[in-house]
Amino acid sequence: MKRSIAALCLLASGALAQNVEQLWKNNCASCHRQGEGGERNTPTLLTAEAFDEKLDRRMFEAIRDGKQHAAMKAFDATLSDEQAWALVNYIRELQFRAVRSGAIPLGAPKAKEGIRATRRASFKVEPFVDTGLSTPWSVEFLPGGEALVTERDGSLRLVRDGRPGAPVGGTPQVYARGQGGLLDAAIHPEHAANGWIYLSFSDPRGDDRGRTVAFTKIVRGRIKDNAWTDQETIFAAKPEHYSGGDLHFGCRIAFGPRVDGRRHVFFAIGERGRGEFAQDLTRPQGKVFRTWDDGSIPDDNPFLDTPDAYRQIWSFGHRNPQGLVFDLKGDLYDTEHAPRGGDELNRVVRGANYGWPVVSFGINYGGTPFKTPWASEGKSFIMPVTRWMPSIAACGLTLVDGNAFPDWKGDMLAGGLAGSCVHRVRVRDGVLVEREEILHGMGRVRDVVCGPDGLIYVVLNDPDRIVRLVPAG
Ligand code: HEC
């Protein structure tokens, strides 16, 4: 787009360093106040209609180009595209405060006599595991009915009748710092016949300067007499790609449909705080990977001919994916964390680029502008199916494939850590149909799983426990 000399001067004078609060105060608040408007015939932005994500682009263009026939002038001479987009983020934050205060009626329903009535189903929240867990990260169910729970500090426990057992002995040593540790557990769909359990974790090693560095590793093994045995490596990064720091390990694991008697396994790994590596196929950061279930590399993976590429890569340009699931049609979806604003639900397709860090819905944590969601010329990225502005800190994603909630069948449920929420997302053929918050305020949501009984299990941190949603009324 064309920019005036005045805009270039502003950019040069460091206006980009302004955070959204300042940008709003200096340019917008005189008419819009804190979203409620009122000055100079300015309408409120704090309505359910205006909170709709379909308006993202229109809002951005209104800020850049102005509103004809209204007092609002064009800001394209004084604000960069990134600043205009950051202001859309800020408006979303103002609107979201109105959601939480109840002024915009889009928050999760409050319990009335223990029953929460959402748009398509009513449920009660029951305890499943109340005590004995420390930062649980994932829950899965074995064919015999036991649950398998990972804890971030490295413990793997079997849960019987709501009581966690002693940690399974001999599980891998993990790098339990910050976001690192024991992450996902995934039970092979043919577990009854083969016994395999897959784990993802932050794998520590010493580098040549004697520091401890880490990267996400995937192994499989079996549990016999509460001990971890038969371990095999499914994926390990090259030693030179391990790094210090405790950010963005991912990781979720999902099994693909059966092909000729075996299965693909997919896993999503974060970019370890190095956004630029997400675009580099010779590095393992910020990728979704596909192998066979024994770790061997399928001969139709997309980057087999790219020199020095990790041959397991399925898609790239991801930030920190912590949700991964197949829908009823066999399409793969992930949820991933953005910085401030702009978590994503993506349909993950072969060989595609999801754009991080070239494009983003989010802004920097301190509130300074970052990018816009739209690609610059000559680039093409896959847009998310839906985005969360503000971020929920998306973690855990499940498909409702049981019968306990027939009106949710085929929908996905996404958890949010910072958002302390569960959202129901209905997607058909890759297109968002509806999105609804169904639960809020019970703790940080680390994982959401539709159990073999069709009930929805929610793994919570702060307080550390697992609850389940049971149909009611
Ligand atoms: C002089 C008053 C004024 C200022 C300053 C102003 N606006 Fe507006 N804005 C308006 C009015 C009036 C409307 C309603 C226009 C309409 O409905 O056609 C509006 C509408 C909007 C809309 C809704 C557009 C749509 O199509 O739905 C957005 C978003 C918006 N303003 C953002 C901003 C931002 C961000 C700033 C600061 C960079 C800003 N405005 C500055 C008066 C103002």
Side-chain angles (χ1 to χ4, degrees):
M1 62 166 283
K2 53 182 175 348
R3 280 205 189 110
S4 69
I5 303 224
L8 291 174
C9 293
L10 261 174
L11 298 182
S13 71
L16 265 179
Q18 279 187 20
N19 67 31
V20 274
E21 284 84 0
Q22 291 163 325
L23 286 169
W24 179 265
K25 194 162 155 268
N26 297 342
N27 298 288
C28 323
S30 60
C31 296
H32 286 282
R33 294 197 280 180
Q34 288 302 297
E36 71 276 21
E39 304 294 334
R40 302 186 59 188
N41 293 326
T42 306
T44 178
L45 293 168
L46 307 183
T47 64
E49 297 72 41
F51 192 50
D52 192 331
E53 66 189 275
K54 287 198 193 82
L55 301 185
D56 283 351
R57 180 88 200 197
R58 191 177 101 183
M59 285 190 173
F60 169 73
E61 285 169 0
I63 297 166
R64 210 183 45 182
D65 306 333
K67 290 298 277 185
Q68 278 184 350
H69 318 298
M72 188 168 133
K73 62 168 185 165
F75 284 94
D76 66 334
T78 47
L79 298 177
S80 67
D81 282 7
E82 290 75 16
Q83 288 174 316
W85 177 255
L87 285 162
V88 178
N89 255 285
Y90 191 65
I91 293 169
R92 297 317 193 183
E93 292 180 9
L94 294 173
Q95 291 171 324
F96 191 68
R97 274 182 229 164
V99 171
R100 282 287 170 258
S101 77
I104 295 181
L106 291 175
K110 297 219 159 42
K112 288 200 186 94
E113 289 167 16
I115 296 177
R116 290 159 208 261
T118 69
R119 202 186 303 177
R120 297 182 186 276
S122 296
F123 61 83
K124 287 184 180 174
V125 179
E126 272 186 359
F128 178 60
V129 183
D130 253 347
T131 54
L133 294 177
S134 162
T135 317
W137 216 91
S138 83
V139 65
E140 284 278 321
F141 293 88
L142 288 158
E146 288 163 315
L148 188 62
V149 177
T150 61
E151 294 170 298
R152 197 174 54 194
D153 70 4
S155 305
L156 178 67
R157 296 175 196 265
L158 290 165
V159 173
R160 287 181 202 91
D161 305 322
R163 280 190 300 278
V168 172
T171 51
Q173 194 204 339
V174 305
Y175 178 86
R177 273 186 227 169
Q179 298 174 4
L182 179 57
L183 307 173
D184 206 18
I187 293 169
H188 194 290
E190 280 80 53
H191 178 275
N194 63 32
W196 289 120
I197 292 165
Y198 291 64
L199 299 177
S200 66
F201 60 98
S202 316
D203 177 40
R205 62 181 304 135
D207 72 359
D208 39 12
R209 282 187 279 160
R211 298 176 314 168
T212 302
V213 290
F215 201 79
T216 311
K217 183 173 180 176
I218 316 289
V219 299
R220 69 175 178 182
R222 299 186 172 95
I223 297 176
K224 284 179 196 146
D225 301 326
N226 213 43
W228 181 250
T229 61
D230 307 335
Q231 179 172 306
E232 295 175 0
T233 297
I234 300 298
F235 173 83
K238 295 172 187 162
E240 63 269 31
H241 291 152
Y242 280 54
S243 60
D246 54 23
L247 291 177
H248 304 176
F249 290 94
C251 168
R252 295 283 176 189
I253 304 168
F255 292 94
R258 239 169 119 84
V259 188
D260 300 334
R262 34 184 203 164
R263 286 182 189 268
H264 292 119
V265 56
F266 292 78
F267 38 95
I269 299 184
E271 39 71 307
R272 301 286 285 109
R274 297 296 300 271
E276 67 280 16
F277 292 168
Q279 292 294 321
D280 182 348
L281 296 171
T282 71
R283 296 186 181 264
Q285 290 90 347
K287 310 293 183 319
V288 173
F289 298 88
R290 180 179 82 153
T291 68
W292 287 111
D293 48 10
D294 63 358
S296 60
I297 298 171
D299 61 13
D300 58 347
N301 265 11
F303 300 111
L304 297 181
D305 299 331
T306 307
D308 300 323
Y310 272 82
R311 294 155 56 81
Q312 297 94 337
I313 294 175
W314 180 250
S315 62
F316 64 110
H318 300 282
R319 186 171 179 270
N320 190 25
Q322 293 194 322
L324 192 68
V325 80
F326 278 89
D327 75 356
L328 288 178
K329 269 188 62 194
D331 287 339
L332 183 65
Y333 289 85
D334 85 338
T335 48
E336 48 189 276
H337 298 264
R340 175 167 158 187
D343 290 3
E344 299 180 358
L345 173 79
N346 288 301
R347 176 152 74 158
V348 179
V349 298
R350 180 181 188 277
N353 185 351
Y354 290 84
W356 177 256
V358 186
V359 291
S360 175
F361 282 80
I363 61 178
N364 294 313
Y365 286 112
T368 50
F370 177 54
K371 296 286 165 71
T372 71
W374 302 288
S376 52
E377 279 160 48
K379 300 240 179 196
S380 80
F381 304 114
I382 308 279
M383 291 295 276
V385 175
T386 182
R387 91 293 173 272
W388 282 273
M389 285 170 67
S391 297
I392 58 172
C395 196
L397 182 67
T398 195
L399 172 72
V400 182
D401 55 359
N403 296 320
F405 290 99
D407 294 332
W408 288 352
K409 197 154 185 166
D411 294 351
M412 286 178 271
L413 302 177
L417 286 162
S420 303
C421 60
V422 176
H423 284 219
R424 182 179 63 85
V425 188
R426 175 165 295 183
V427 178
R428 297 292 180 259
D429 295 321
V431 177
L432 179 68
V433 178
E434 60 185 44
R435 205 179 95 187
E436 173 192 30
E437 186 175 73
I438 60 168
L439 188 69
H440 169 252
M442 300 201 70
R444 292 162 64 77
V445 176
R446 186 67 73 174
D447 199 10
V448 188
V449 171
C450 183
D453 49 10
L455 305 180
I456 308 302
Y457 291 78
V458 182
V459 176
L460 298 167
N461 293 174
D462 303 326
D464 293 336
R465 59 199 181 114
I466 304 176
V467 297
R468 63 183 174 198
L469 315 188
V470 180

